[in-house]
Every structure is written in structure tokens, then in C-alpha cells.
């Protein structure tokens, strides 16, 4: 089985609808797909409805934006209760903060380039939480950069004058919230240093102590040395190892199924979740 446990739809910063995403996974030969839009479960129902026709299993999840000592951390939550009040309150606060942060960044950018909030909104689907990828797409549409990667490396860089931080839960607290909601927490791309600063080993150990289930080891933003280090650390801490594409459609170079999770690990994750994996 080819199991891809990290993808995004237009509900957050992907370019495909949840329905299109499930069918794209089928076309790519993926057997099981996790939909993990940023801080949102809004795409779950649409993706679920596409499962029978596409013939792809679905793991419902989200990618939670967290912080640890001022460093951005992304936590995947698989199969949690979508009605859990405590977790939903945190996700709602993050979405609200992201929206305000995006507007503030547009205001800063507008001092130097021809960019409006309407330009950014035009790049997002209705109801989507607007984030930096949508700002990047607007900059591409205006001709200021060639693609998202260039936008993130220049105009939207955390080191630049246009960057604005947003509210995010503490990473250890988020792990505990996910577990309390019946979910399975996985640290996404923990050594992706090209994205910015990464946490040190002590933070991973603290998250493991709080209930972290796995490290996303096999990811295109990890070097061979990163993967070797994380595999050894996961074994020491008794954590599972996952692999995923982090697919965003045409927004990034990542391709569905380019990294996968073993069937044995998938079965452990499925058994721990509060909601079931949907099968065709």
C-alpha cells in the first residue's frame, strides 16, 4: 500500500478542492491519503464524499500551527474528534490570528508594491484561511516573483520587514490537546531548516513525553543526514516514523506519494484515533 499522510486542499493553502485532491491521489497510485489542512477540518466532509468513487482511503486530520521558544512548529493531528471543544477553540484562535496577520502583511507590502487585500482574497477559495501562500500567489499574479518559493525567500521571509507573527499554541500543549481529543499527534518535518529555525532535540523529547506519536522523517525538506538522525531519535524515544508528500497541488513542487508511510505504522495510527479511517 502507498500511504501519504500529509496533504493540503484549497481549504487552506493547496490548489485543489478536497474532491479533486482525493481523485488526484487515486491517479497518482496512492491507496490511503491524509487530508491535513492548516488549523481546519472544513474539508473533511467533501473529501469523505469522494472516497467511494475515487477508491482511496481517507485519514481525516489537520496541521496545527504551533510555537516552541519562538520557533514555528507544525503538528499533524490524525483522526481526532472534530467536535472537541478545547481543540476547536485553539484552531479557531489560530485561524483568526492568521487572517489578521495576513491583512497586516498586505498593509506593509502595499507601502512598496501594488498589492491589495482583494488581490490576496482572489487567490483563496471561499472560507479558506488566508496565509502566506495566498500572499505569495498574489505576488506571482502581479508579476513581482516567479513562484511561491521566490516569494517566501524574499518578500515573505520571516527575516524581512513585511513579516508579521501570528498567535499559535505551545507545541507541547498542542500535543496534549490532540491526545485529549482522541487524535494522533505527529511532528511534521521537524528538521526542515530551509523553512527557518528548527527546534533542538530537547523540545522533541519534551513533546514525546507529552504524548507525541511519531516524527515525520521522510519528507523532501529533510536531507539524508536529517532522516538518519530522526530515525535514530524516534527509535530511542519509542516514536513511530512516517513519510509524506506535504502536497499542495501546483503551489509547490511536492508530488503525491513521493514519500510514504509503512502499512505497519499506518495500522498503529489508525488504531489510536477517535474516528475511523474511511475506506472505499
Amino acid at each position: 500500500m502507498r500511504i501519504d499522510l500529509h496533504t493540503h486542499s484549497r481549504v487552506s493553502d493547496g490548489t485543489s478542492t478536497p474532491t479533486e485532491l482525493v481523485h488526484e491521489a487515486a491517479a497518482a497510485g496512492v491507496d490511503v491519503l491524509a487530508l491535513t489542512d492548516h488549523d481546519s477540518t472544513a474539508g473533511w466532509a467533501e473529501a469523505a464524499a469522494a472516497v467511494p468513487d475515487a477508491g482511496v482511503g481517507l485519514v481525516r486530520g489537520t496541521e496545527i500551527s504551533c510555537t516552541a521558544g519562538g520557533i514555528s512548529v507544525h503538528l499533524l493531528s490524525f483522526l481526532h474528534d472534530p467536535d472537541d471543544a478545547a481543540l476547536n477553540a485553539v484552531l479557531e484562535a489560530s485561524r483568526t490570528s492568521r487572517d489578521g496577520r495576513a491583512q497586516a502583511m498586505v498593509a506593509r507590502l502595499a507601502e512598496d508594491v501594488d498589492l491589495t487585500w482583494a488581490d490576496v482574497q482572489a487567490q483563496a477559495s471561499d472560507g479558506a484561511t488566508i496565509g502566506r501562500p495566498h500572499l505569495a500567489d498574489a505576488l506571482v499574479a502581479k508579476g513581482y516573483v516567479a513562484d511561491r518559493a521566490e516569494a517566501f525567500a524574499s518578500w515573505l521571509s520571516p527575516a524581512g520587514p513585511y513579516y508579521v507573527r501570528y498567535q499559535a499554541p505551545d507545541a507541547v500543549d498542542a500535543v496534549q490537546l490532540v491526545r485529549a481529543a482522541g487524535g494522533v499527534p505527529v511532528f511534521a518535518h521537524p528538521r526542515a531548516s530551509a523553512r527557518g529555525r528548527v527546534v533542538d532535540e530537547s523540545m522533541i523529547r519534551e513533546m514525546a513525553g507529552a504524548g507525541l506519536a511519531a516524527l515525520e522523517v521522510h519528507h523532501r525538506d529533510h536531507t539524508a543526514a536529517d532522516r538518519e538522525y530522526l530515525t535514530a531519535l524516534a527509535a530511542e524515544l519509542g516514536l513511530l516514523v512516517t513519510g509524506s508528500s506535504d502536497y499542495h497541488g501546483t503551489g509547490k513542487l511536492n508530488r503525491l506519494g513521493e514519500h510514504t508511510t509503512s502499512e505497519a505504522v499506518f495500522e498503529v495510527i489508525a488504531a489510536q484515533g477517535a474516528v475511523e479511517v474511511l475506506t472505499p
Side-chain angles (χ1 to χ4, degrees):
M1 292 179 67
R2 298 185 70 210
I3 301 162
D4 189 340
L5 294 182
H6 185 173
T7 70
H8 298 272
S9 77
R10 283 182 63 84
V11 168
S12 61
D13 54 348
T15 59
S16 305
T17 67
T19 299
E20 290 167 343
L21 175 60
V22 174
H23 283 275
E24 287 166 10
V30 171
D31 299 294
V32 178
L33 176 82
L35 173 62
T36 53
D37 283 315
H38 291 285
D39 302 312
S40 178
T41 60
W44 282 19
E46 182 182 335
V51 165
D53 185 46
V56 173
L58 178 66
V59 173
R60 290 163 289 178
T62 189
E63 185 171 12
I64 304 171
S65 307
C66 309
T67 186
I71 298 174
S72 177
V73 169
H74 287 183
L75 184 73
L76 298 168
S77 174
F78 299 133
L79 305 171
H80 62 266
D81 177 1
D83 297 319
D84 184 82
L87 182 56
N88 280 340
V90 168
L91 297 180
E92 175 62 27
S94 292
R95 291 194 299 270
T96 300
S97 179
R98 274 178 178 269
D99 189 76
R101 173 264 202 124
Q103 293 190 50
M105 288 185 69
V106 170
R108 292 186 181 186
L109 285 160
E111 295 178 3
D112 294 321
V113 299
D114 177 21
L115 188 72
T116 67
W117 183 240
D119 293 329
V120 175
Q121 288 179 306
Q123 302 300 322
S125 61
D126 291 343
T129 301
I130 295 180
R132 282 195 301 160
H134 302 111
L135 273 70
D137 291 344
L139 290 168
V140 171
K142 287 281 189 173
Y144 292 113
V145 292
D147 52 32
R148 280 187 178 181
E150 184 181 348
F152 272 81
S154 56
W155 298 98
L156 306 180
S157 168
Y162 308 109
Y163 188 81
V164 175
R165 294 193 178 277
Y166 60 93
Q167 175 182 326
D170 174 77
V172 174
D173 291 344
V175 169
Q176 294 172 330
L177 279 167
V178 169
R179 283 297 192 185
V184 186
V186 176
F187 194 158
H189 42 71
R191 298 286 289 181
S193 57
R195 298 168 177 245
R197 292 189 299 154
V198 298
V199 300
D200 60 23
E201 186 176 301
S202 65
M203 176 52 61
I204 297 177
R205 290 179 179 277
E206 190 174 351
M207 292 169 69
L212 187 69
L215 300 178
E216 185 184 54
V217 173
H218 303 292
H219 187 284
R220 72 155 48 213
D221 289 348
H222 288 160
T223 65
D226 291 332
R227 293 192 292 272
E228 182 178 358
Y229 164 76
L230 290 170
T231 298
L233 182 60
E236 178 189 342
L237 297 177
L239 301 176
L240 301 169
V241 166
T242 68
S244 314
S245 68
D246 198 359
Y247 179 70
H248 285 70
T250 59
K252 291 185 177 182
L253 296 176
N254 310 46
R255 301 270 60 88
L256 281 163
E258 67 180 26
H259 294 289
T260 58
T261 296
S262 74
E263 189 170 353
V265 168
F266 166 67
E267 289 176 352
V268 175
I269 289 172
Q272 292 182 15
V275 300
E276 72 279 11
V277 174
L278 298 181
T279 56

